[in-house]
Amino acid sequence: MRSGDPRGPFPDYASPYWDDLNIATLSDEQLVSKLHLLDNLEVSSPYRGTSVPVWRRIWRSLESLDRAGPLPSSWKHAALYLFANTVYLPQVLLNDAWRALYLDLCEGEFGLDHITARQTILSRCHFFENDPNAMTSVFCHVNGIEGRLDNQRQQRVDGVDQLADVLLDLLNPAKSDSARSMLTAMVAKSHWVLLVDKSLSGHSAVSDLRRLAFARELAEQAGLSVPKIVVLCQVLTSRAEQAIRQLVAELHADGISWHKAVYFDDRHGVTHPDTTLILDPSLRTSALELCRWFAEHFLIPDRRLDRMRERSGDNLEYGYRGCGLTLVDHANCPTDSLPIFWYSSEPGAETVYTGPYVRVHSRIGNQSAEPSSAKWTTITERPELVEALRR
């Protein structure tokens, strides 16, 4: 695999596992070149929190599957082909995505070149983050935008959840003046920009977009200016884009637009009949069978995933909401990707499995209600917010 590393998977694994690999399929599916590419991408942008080469992590996962079996050899081969089809997004690509989206914002929304816009963009836009994780900081840093922490330019309201807090503060006499001042400054901007790293099922981005549209409606009813809402998405799927289109049509809302840097259509999911990941029909069938077995054997018994299963509406056999992706970025593996990529058994499990891209979950366990959802439900039930905003 790596130059000068004799411990690559093929010479090192003198195992019956490899004996019945079909050479023609191996060539047609470009297995070796895909593994080489994956290894090189990880060398240039290592996956979070590990110094173990990707092919060693893949082999560890394959051995875990074998111990949990015994599995048909066709399923084990299918697992190898799935891992080889990892769509790995290194840091340099994602930084370039922010640069491309910044140009789209400057030129497409304001008709400015990026040099001129650097001095004015924060006075024109308020930036929100979908699932806040310092995206605004990174976006400003890679694009050379200064003044992000200057309150006169950018209020400290990074996420839609924080926007809900400020709206509810309007009803608190001790905080209402400060909240009104912050909101007035925010709606005075011509654009609200929602930064999204990955929108794969579309669920989270659409939820935030709906809430921003409602907040804008409150401002309009209070006689304040109405910003345009712009979504800047680093990675977008056709499924997520369709969800955004449906929401905009449902809201009958003007002044909502979106830009994407990296785009994946439905064929990048393993469940699509014309998937680009695995071309051989029998190999693809084996991969889908493996995913269903994996869900029954590992996912369904794991109570930590109850909440995710409920929101997904299935057993997660093909990832969250059945996206069936093999997508990984350098910082984390999304739950929209196949669980054999990211799942790790709970401590003390009888059968242990560790995927090659163990993820850090933003939420674990089972929550009866999300605080953000509860806040926005309260906001929709308090018409006096309009008058509080108008004062």
Side-chain angles (χ1 to χ4, degrees):
M1 297 291 285
R2 302 181 189 182
S3 177
D5 187 348
R7 298 169 296 171
F10 292 102
D12 214 26
Y13 300 149
S15 161
Y17 177 89
W18 307 100
D19 290 348
D20 54 353
L21 270 176
N22 185 289
I23 300 302
T25 302
L26 186 148
S27 176
D28 292 343
E29 300 287 342
Q30 303 178 49
L31 177 68
V32 177
S33 61
K34 288 177 178 178
L35 286 170
H36 271 288
L37 174 61
L38 179 57
D39 187 62
N40 287 329
L41 287 172
E42 274 220 13
V43 168
S44 66
S45 184
Y47 187 63
R48 168 204 45 80
T50 182
S51 60
V52 180
V54 62
W55 53 265
R56 286 199 175 275
R57 304 198 314 268
I58 288 173
W59 184 251
R60 178 190 60 194
S61 297
L62 293 173
E63 288 182 323
S64 296
L65 291 174
D66 204 25
R67 287 192 296 269
L71 302 183
S73 60
S74 60
W75 288 12
K76 292 187 286 185
H77 296 162
L80 175 63
Y81 280 96
L82 286 174
F83 292 141
N85 276 284
T86 300
V87 179
Y88 191 81
L89 305 180
Q91 185 172 17
V92 63
L93 182 146
L94 295 176
N95 285 343
D96 283 345
W98 282 140
R99 295 185 181 98
L101 290 167
Y102 178 57
L103 289 175
D104 283 347
L105 178 66
C106 295
E107 298 174 0
E109 300 295 336
F110 301 115
L112 300 171
D113 67 75
H114 67 285
I115 298 297
T116 304
R118 280 179 184 163
Q119 307 305 318
T120 65
I121 200 73
L122 289 179
S123 64
R124 297 169 180 265
C125 302
H126 182 88
F127 288 91
F128 293 96
E129 301 175 4
N130 175 243
D131 193 17
N133 58 7
M135 275 186 279
T136 303
S137 177
V138 175
F139 181 84
C140 291
H141 176 72
V142 300
N143 288 302
I145 302 171
E146 297 180 342
R148 180 184 66 84
L149 297 181
D150 184 346
N151 279 340
Q152 293 180 333
R153 295 190 178 198
Q154 177 82 356
Q155 296 295 323
R156 300 291 182 88
V157 182
D158 293 331
V160 176
D161 186 56
Q162 291 171 293
L163 177 59
D165 291 333
V166 178
L167 285 168
L168 291 172
D169 282 347
L170 286 171
L171 304 178
N172 183 340
K175 299 181 178 180
S176 59
D177 288 344
S178 174
R180 190 177 303 106
S181 175
M182 293 178 68
L183 289 165
T184 300
M186 289 166 58
V187 299
K189 303 287 183 74
S190 64
H191 289 66
W192 284 353
V193 179
L194 178 63
L195 300 178
V196 181
D197 53 0
K198 296 181 292 294
S199 186
L200 306 179
S201 71
H203 176 75
S204 179
V206 165
S207 177
D208 274 1
L209 190 54
R210 182 186 295 277
R211 291 164 179 172
L212 285 179
F214 183 78
R216 188 177 68 168
E217 183 180 334
L218 290 177
E220 184 177 23
Q221 293 173 9
L224 301 177
S225 58
V226 180
K228 181 177 181 180
I229 299 174
V230 181
V231 180
L232 300 183
C233 187
Q234 283 181 302
V235 183
L236 186 70
T237 66
S238 53
R239 173 187 294 204
E241 185 170 44
Q242 181 59 29
I244 293 173
R245 290 184 189 278
Q246 289 175 350
L247 175 66
V248 172
E250 172 196 332
L251 296 176
H252 303 289
D254 296 325
I256 298 178
S257 62
W258 59 93
H259 303 268
K260 66 259 189 183
V262 181
Y263 186 71
F264 295 107
D265 65 26
D266 289 342
R267 295 173 300 167
H268 286 84
V270 71
T271 58
H272 194 276
D274 297 320
T275 181
T276 59
L277 298 177
I278 296 179
L279 305 181
D280 183 85
S282 63
L283 185 59
R284 179 173 169 272
T285 298
S286 294
L288 297 178
E289 291 172 347
L290 170 66
C291 290
R292 291 192 292 269
W293 171 87
F294 188 88
E296 293 175 1
H297 199 84
F298 289 102
L299 307 180
I300 294 176
D302 192 335
R303 311 314 300 177
R304 298 174 302 171
L305 302 178
D306 284 350
R307 175 183 171 277
M308 191 188 304
R309 273 192 295 270
E310 180 181 355
R311 292 170 63 85
S312 181
D314 53 31
N315 288 325
L316 302 173
E317 53 265 64
Y318 306 122
Y320 187 68
R321 301 205 166 194
C323 287
L325 299 171
T326 58
L327 185 71
V328 179
D329 71 46
H330 70 98
N332 219 359
C333 182
T335 54
D336 310 77
S337 289
L338 299 174
I340 62 171
F341 278 68
W342 52 262
Y343 180 75
S344 181
S345 300
E346 56 186 329
E350 182 176 347
T351 306
V352 176
Y353 177 82
T354 302
Y357 301 100
V358 175
R359 67 173 269 110
V360 174
H361 292 272
S362 56
R363 297 182 181 90
I364 58 174
N366 301 309
Q367 298 168 290
S368 58
E370 292 186 37
S372 184
S373 297
K375 292 174 187 176
W376 283 98
T377 298
T378 300
I379 289 169
T380 59
E381 296 172 347
R382 301 296 294 270
E384 61 268 33
L385 278 170
V386 174
E387 182 58 34
L389 188 57
R390 183 182 289 122
R391 295 191 191 122

